[in-house]
Amino acid sequence: MKNIFGEPLQGCCSNPMTGFYRDGFCRTSDEDFGKHTVCAIMTEDFLAFSKQRGNDLSTSRPEYGFVGLKSGDKWCLCASRWKEAFDAGKAPLVVLEATSEETLDIIQMQDLISHAYKEIQPQNG
């Protein structure tokens, strides 16, 4: 499993547990028609956009073991949904190291980089 930089894919999130295989990684296979390969950080704006497009990610669905997402949660998004949101100006930030290389079949590298999540490093001093 490689990320968009050709390095080992990092985990996206285990709380809530994400990924097509619900193993915390944004990895895919031929079984995953949606290509859940983009590790994104949810925003209210994106969640509303996704719900408007028919994919309600914010409502709990206990029958599927899904708690519902809130702003700040990390989640493996379908690459095509992220691109749709990007084109509409609603794309969430992306954890590049946890985004699978297969994403590059659908989204251009520079578009992902333009939405890179950067962790704030504590300053010494």
Side-chain angles (χ1 to χ4, degrees), residues 6-18:
E7 300 167 347
L9 184 66
Q10 292 183 11
C12 180
C13 188
S14 59
N15 186 20
M17 187 60 77
T18 190

Side-chain angles (χ1 to χ4, degrees), residues 53-104:
R53 293 293 198 272
N55 187 17
D56 182 0
L57 296 172
S58 55
T59 301
S60 176
R61 298 291 305 266
E63 66 272 27
Y64 298 111
F66 181 69
V67 297
L69 301 176
K70 62 188 179 318
S71 184
D73 286 342
K74 292 179 185 172
W75 194 250
C76 293
L77 288 181
C78 293
S80 57
R81 174 68 67 192
W82 189 91
K83 183 171 183 346
E84 181 184 17
F86 175 81
D87 291 342
K90 305 285 185 183
L93 294 178
V94 176
V95 180
L96 300 175
E97 296 80 8
T99 295
S100 178
E101 66 185 349
E102 286 90 352
T103 303
L104 298 174

Side-chain angles (χ1 to χ4, degrees), residues 16-48:
M17 187 60 77
T18 190
F20 179 74
Y21 294 101
R22 292 298 190 261
D23 62 358
F25 287 85
C26 298
R27 59 190 185 96
T28 191
S29 70
D30 291 340
E31 300 169 321
D32 177 16
F33 297 112
K35 290 211 182 282
H36 294 78
T37 59
V38 179
C39 181
I41 300 175
M42 299 297 96
T43 63
E44 292 299 328
D45 223 18
F46 172 77
L47 290 169

Side-chain angles (χ1 to χ4, degrees), residues 4 38 82 86 94 96 99-100 103-104 107-117:
I4 62 170
V38 179
W82 189 91
F86 175 81
V94 176
L96 300 175
T99 295
S100 178
T103 303
L104 298 174
I107 303 168
Q108 293 184 8
M109 174 77 86
Q110 65 264 25
D111 294 343
L112 293 166
I113 289 172
S114 75
H115 280 69
Y117 171 73

